[in-house]
Amino acid sequence: MLLEVRDLHVEFHTRDGVARAVNGVSYAVEAGETLAVLGESGSGKSVTAQAVMGILDMPPGRITAGEVLFEGRDLLKLKEEERRKVRGAEMAMIFQDALSSLNPVLTVGDQLGEMFTVHRGMSRKDARAKAVELMDRVRIPAARERVRQYPHQFSGGMRQRIMIAMAMALEPKLIIADEPTTALDVTVQAQVMELLAELQREFRMGLILITHDLGVVADVADKIAVMYAGRIVESAPVHDIYKAPAHPYTRGLLDSIPRLDQKGRELYAIKGLPPNLTRIPPGCAFHPRCPMAQEVCRTDVPPLYDVTESDAERGSACHFWRECLHG
Amino acid sequence: MAEPILEVRGLVKHYPLTRGILFKRQIGAVKAVDGVDFHLDRGETLGIVGESGCGKSTVAKMLVHLERPTAGEIRYKGEDITRLSGKALKAVRRNIQMVFQDPYTSLNPRMTVGDIIGEAYDIHPEVAPKGERRKRVQHLLDVVGLNPEYINRYPHQFSGGQRQRIGIARGLALRPEIIVADEPVSALDVSVQAQVINLLARLQDEFDLSYIFIAHDLSIVRHISDRVGVMYLGRIVETGRDAEIYDHPTHPYTQALLSAVPVPDPEAREHRERIMLTGDVPSPTDIPSGCRFRTRCWKARERCALEVPALAVPEEFRDTSGPAAHDSACHFAETLPMWRSAPGRAVPPEEGGEHGSGPE
Ligand SMILES: Nc1ncnc2c1ncn2[C@@H]1O[C@H](COP(=O)(O)OP(=O)(O)OP(=O)(O)O)[C@@H](O)[C@H]1O
Ligand SMILES: Nc1ncnc2c1ncn2[C@@H]1O[C@H](COP(=O)(O)OP(=O)(O)O)[C@@H](O)[C@H]1O
Ligand code: SF4
Ligand code: SF4
Ligand SMILES: [Mg+2]
Ligand SMILES: [Mg+2]
């Protein structure tokens, strides 16, 4: 297994109390595989990713339990210095907002080149040549000239492609893309996703794609982890989950997207709002919003039940997964 | 046919580009909106889609008099309102209200919800006499699904979806006939998005509202719209009833846009055909000659650089009555075989045909 996150817990100390942002997340990705992490804002997707990358703000954040096994090695036990060597070379991250993750006062060529001078000890000249090659690779037209330009001189789609180039520079084994196309228009989103998929195939990278877009997930993922209030509530191969969700929250999300064959009808809407993470409801965190909730849901936290039916593993954190799956 | 409640003709907004400090010389213009025509019938919803920067918000702002058009007409019940002023303008403005995209910045953080919603009554006291305002506002809160007791709270005490409800209540305060909603759900999470869309649909029935609904999410626009206009670089390039646009698009840009939308069905991905557009949208300061889409169009020929295609039913469909016979601003408009079933749906490979995808 390339990456395995086991029972990760992260909390933040805030003025309102302790926010339990991640409460026992486990997921795994193999080389060449795409895992989509799906969930509404605040569900803990980015915090989990930051803990994996080792870029979590600590304090106020604190990892209170769990393991992040990268090729079998627990990254949480490494010293910061060793950790830094893993970052960039072995695993890299792409963020939603390319403009604010690129340095505005350095040319893109310098920023791309830095990957090679710092990590690979290359000369500036060689690094510059590498930068041009990478920009070509992510299809920036006139790379040789544009390598001298600054981030603001590129369009949003191009900046995101430069971010991808930067993440790919050292050919890492794992890429975490946190909402990489959320800020982009659909035609540009399609270009960027295609590029990412192509590079992933070529280098057999593991890809963790964080998103709230059920369409993007259906297009590219091999498997999905659905997060709610800092937990994975359903984890399944992509085909299974769209056919028949095994958790009422997943079902609610799928039902709330407009469908062409039901035009004009009222959309299904999950009632209420996600919980405040300083006061997560007892029992199943979803129970105040769940149409299937019973008495037991208010008191007993549902474990991740094994709901595997085919040869691919599947889990659901719902006491009534059977009713949900077959109902 | 009844007169449309709103009709827009040749609407233009150019922002001058100037150079110099002492002597501002105009060196060009940002052609944000560059000749837009559409109409809105009473009680219907017109969806406007298009990519970032194509001019959607600028159109919206002109409709509600937040921007003055450079040229063109906006007819409200037959009367051009772009030249109105004083009392007459005030009366019209009351009837066309706007709901904004960002529920986080569009509400004044220092005002209570009651003051935000009731503010409009200061300008239009005839709608609600002083003594009645509080009751009116509480009723509006109830109408949009918020607790009327929240009247003294401040915006930061609400979630994004709740703030958007406050924005909608403010839009309804003067009992307008037309609501211009500019990306009203784009900033919201999926589950909350559905709640707000349902609310807008319910209010439309309840108050007999006509909507201009602007968004870049094509599935949501289809869900809520009766007719749709597709914008590119300051112009509407194709318009028609929702099924005409979504199931029988004839303009290459619409075809590319629809084919790029990810479909929430993993079974579809093996069979899907995508038209990948290359390059970026040109700058609105430097609009290509002829057809403005030609720099990204895989069908472009010489004529496209020379002649501006008019927004009209293309010649080859003019004598037909089928769904392809709708306005499309393309010299070579045609339906593609991939749209024999709905866009994005699984298309059997034998139906897909070779026209499907554009060049790399
Ligand atoms: N006050 C202004 N001065 C100069 N240019 C402007 C001004 N307002 C808008 N523009 C330009 O006009 C064009 C259209 O802008 P507009 O905000 O209408 O786009 P939009 O379709 O609403 O985009 P989005 O989907 O990003 O909201 C853009 O190129 C924008 O930069
Ligand atoms: N630096 C921080 N300080 C305090 N709280 C934080 C910090 N970063 C994230 N959080 C909180 O952790 C929770 C999960 O956040 P996040 O992982 O970013 O959600 P998302 O699923 O949208 O990516 C949120 O409630 C967020 O406010
Ligand atoms: S455990 Fe109960 S409340 Fe939670 S999702 Fe299942 S049915 Fe709903
Ligand atoms: S007029 Fe020409 S360039 Fe424009 S959309 Fe039609 S074929 Fe393409
Ligand atoms: Mg996030
Ligand atoms: Mg806008």
Side-chain angles (χ1 to χ4, degrees):
Chain A
M1 193 58 68
L2 179 62
L3 175 83
E4 199 177 345
V5 175
R6 283 195 193 151
D7 199 29
L8 188 71
H9 287 73
V10 182
E11 53 187 43
F12 289 98
H13 289 262
T14 70
R15 261 185 306 164
D16 299 337
V18 179
R20 297 184 199 288
V22 178
N23 304 297
V25 162
S26 304
Y27 59 56
V29 204
E30 287 184 78
E33 189 178 49
T34 300
L35 165 74
V37 180
L38 183 78
E40 296 183 87
S41 62
S43 57
K45 307 180 295 293
S46 300
V47 170
T48 307
Q50 287 159 10
V52 170
M53 279 298 289
I55 53 169
L56 191 64
D57 277 335
M58 299 195 284
R62 210 160 74 87
I63 298 175
T64 54
E67 291 170 311
V68 175
L69 302 173
F70 187 72
E71 299 186 309
R73 201 159 54 134
D74 187 357
L75 297 182
L76 298 182
K77 297 214 172 76
L78 295 187
K79 291 205 193 60
E80 178 50 33
E81 201 181 315
E82 295 170 291
R83 200 73 204 269
R84 209 172 304 141
K85 282 191 206 131
V86 176
R87 228 174 7 246
E90 307 264 352
M91 55 166 76
M93 191 151 169
I94 299 166
F95 300 91
Q96 168 172 348
D97 185 359
L99 189 55
S100 63
S101 7
L102 289 167
N103 188 336
V105 300
L106 290 181
T107 66
V108 299
D110 286 340
Q111 295 183 63
L112 283 166
E114 206 170 68
M115 303 295 293
F116 298 99
T117 51
V118 172
H119 284 271
R120 294 280 188 266
M122 275 188 196
S123 72
R124 275 191 55 120
K125 186 155 164 277
D126 290 349
R128 172 58 60 103
K130 273 285 198 188
V132 173
E133 194 185 308
L134 274 171
M135 283 173 68
D136 251 340
R137 189 75 189 75
V138 296
R139 300 196 202 104
I140 307 278
R144 196 167 298 282
E145 288 80 55
R146 301 206 70 172
V147 72
R148 274 176 256 280
Q149 294 188 330
Y150 294 88
H152 74 266
Q153 292 172 284
F154 293 85
S155 71
M158 284 197 216
R159 281 197 290 263
Q160 202 52 285
R161 274 179 274 165
I162 290 166
M163 281 297 294
I164 292 176
M166 202 123 105
M168 295 295 308
L170 306 176
E171 294 174 24
K173 295 172 182 151
L174 176 72
I175 292 238
I176 303 181
D178 192 351
E179 314 251 7
T181 58
T182 304
L184 305 177
D185 281 314
V186 283
T187 60
V188 184
Q189 166 173 307
Q191 293 167 357
V192 169
M193 288 311 300
E194 171 133 316
L195 173 67
L196 203 54
E198 183 189 310
L199 294 170
Q200 182 198 14
R201 268 195 306 276
E202 188 174 328
F203 297 103
R204 264 186 69 71
M205 294 180 307
L207 174 64
I208 298 179
L209 178 70
I210 298 174
T211 178
H212 60 261
D213 187 325
L214 287 147
V216 171
V217 173
D219 256 359
V220 301
D222 298 306
K223 55 188 197 186
I224 309 185
V226 182
M227 285 192 74
Y228 187 79
R231 285 195 71 192
I232 293 198
V233 294
E234 180 163 7
S235 169
V238 69
H239 289 274
D240 295 359
I241 214 164
Y242 282 78
K243 232 177 271 158
H247 194 284
Y249 178 63
T250 318
R251 161 159 297 183
L253 287 181
L254 284 169
D255 286 350
S256 62
I257 31 184
R259 293 237 320 255
L260 298 184
D261 48 350
Q262 296 184 357
K263 185 182 152 56
R265 261 201 260 159
E266 200 176 323
L267 288 176
Y268 176 81
I270 303 175
K271 65 179 185 195
L273 299 170
N276 179 332
L277 296 178
T278 59
R279 285 183 293 276
I280 296 178
C284 172
F286 187 56
H287 85 251
R289 307 177 73 191
C290 180
M292 290 176 63
Q294 307 282 323
E295 210 38 53
V296 59
C297 305
R298 289 171 211 284
T299 50
D300 296 11
V301 178
L304 192 71
Y305 293 99
D306 181 354
V307 309
T308 308
E309 281 183 327
S310 56
D311 46 357
E313 284 194 322
R314 183 166 188 189
S316 163
C318 171
H319 295 303
F320 300 99
W321 63 269
R322 266 195 197 83
E323 287 77 356
C324 184
L325 194 55
H326 303 296
Chain B
M1 227 166 79
E3 185 177 48
I5 189 161
L6 198 67
E7 193 171 8
V8 165
R9 280 196 211 144
L11 196 62
V12 171
K13 180 73 201 182
H14 289 181
Y15 295 100
L17 268 177
T18 56
R19 185 172 288 159
I21 297 162
L22 284 179
F23 307 104
K24 290 216 186 309
R25 282 165 298 134
Q26 184 169 346
I27 53 162
V30 180
K31 298 179 176 167
V33 175
D34 200 29
V36 158
D37 306 283
F38 62 78
H39 71 271
L40 177 70
D41 288 326
R42 183 181 286 279
E44 80 165 347
T45 299
L46 172 70
I48 297 182
V49 296
E51 296 182 277
S52 188
C54 72
K56 305 181 296 295
S57 297
T58 308
V59 167
K61 285 186 218 153
M62 288 191 280
L63 295 179
V64 298
H65 272 89
L66 288 175
E67 288 279 9
R68 184 174 280 281
T70 309
E73 292 177 357
I74 300 173
R75 295 185 169 276
Y76 167 71
K77 294 180 178 168
E79 182 187 19
D80 184 6
I81 59 172
T82 55
R83 272 166 253 281
L84 293 183
S85 59
K87 250 202 175 124
L89 175 62
K90 210 171 119 182
V92 170
R93 283 187 78 164
R94 196 197 125 180
N95 283 314
I96 311 176
Q97 292 290 320
M98 181 139 163
V99 173
F100 295 89
Q101 164 170 5
D102 189 351
Y104 295 91
T105 57
S106 63
L107 305 177
N108 185 338
R110 276 179 288 276
M111 282 166 72
T112 66
V113 166
D115 291 338
I116 289 171
I117 299 173
E119 197 181 16
Y121 298 136
D122 295 341
I123 306 161
H124 295 276
E126 75 281 6
V127 183
K130 264 233 148 53
E132 254 187 52
R133 289 189 192 170
R134 202 179 158 79
K135 237 174 63 198
R136 278 284 177 91
V137 171
Q138 284 181 322
H139 174 67
L140 282 168
L141 285 172
D142 189 47
V143 163
V144 299
L146 291 172
N147 189 336
E149 286 163 26
Y150 290 168
I151 188 164
N152 291 323
R153 294 201 181 179
Y154 289 88
H156 74 264
Q157 295 173 286
F158 294 90
S159 70
Q162 287 173 324
R163 281 185 232 202
Q164 202 53 292
R165 287 172 195 266
I166 296 167
I168 293 170
R170 173 174 62 182
L172 288 175
L174 297 173
R175 288 196 251 137
E177 294 175 297
I178 299 169
I179 294 239
V180 181
D182 187 8
E183 310 255 11
V185 297
S186 306
L188 306 177
D189 266 316
V190 192
S191 72
V192 183
Q193 224 171 45
Q195 295 171 359
V196 174
I197 292 286
N198 287 343
L199 172 66
L200 286 169
R202 179 168 62 76
L203 295 173
Q204 180 163 42
D205 289 346
E206 213 169 303
F207 299 102
D208 193 23
L209 295 166
S210 311
Y211 285 154
I212 303 272
F213 188 94
I214 296 171
H216 61 257
D217 184 322
L218 288 127
S219 323
I220 290 185
V221 167
R222 174 155 201 189
H223 178 83
I224 197 159
S225 306
D226 301 300
R227 284 186 305 113
V228 177
V230 180
M231 266 186 96
Y232 185 79
L233 211 54
R235 276 217 182 170
I236 292 187
V237 295
E238 184 165 7
T239 176
R241 302 204 65 79
D242 73 284
E244 292 172 338
I245 299 298
Y246 282 78
D247 300 338
H248 307 274
T250 66
H251 195 285
Y253 177 63
T254 312
Q255 291 166 344
L257 194 64
L258 287 171
S259 83
V261 178
V263 198
D265 174 11
E267 308 297 331
R269 71 182 174 201
E270 280 82 30
H271 315 292
R272 277 187 79 191
E273 292 198 46
R274 266 210 176 134
I275 302 165
M276 282 288 172
L277 288 181
T278 49
D280 288 312
V281 183
S283 158
T285 56
D286 192 13
I287 292 179
S289 68
C291 171
R292 56 194 60 217
F293 182 56
R294 73 177 161 83
T295 53
R296 298 171 83 199
C297 182
W298 68 96
K299 285 166 58 176
R301 293 182 234 169
E302 202 184 337
R303 183 175 167 201
C304 306
L306 302 172
E307 258 178 72
V308 178
L311 181 63
V313 180
E315 233 165 85
E316 49 273 55
F317 301 119
R318 227 163 270 169
D319 298 328
T320 67
S321 59
H326 58 265
D327 292 353
S328 176
C330 171
H331 297 308
F332 306 104
E334 61 180 343
T335 50
L336 291 182
M338 67 194 277
W339 261 280
R340 250 177 249 154
S341 70
R345 296 258 188 84
V347 180
E350 65 272 16
E351 248 190 60
E354 58 199 277
H355 300 279
S357 44
E360 258 298 273

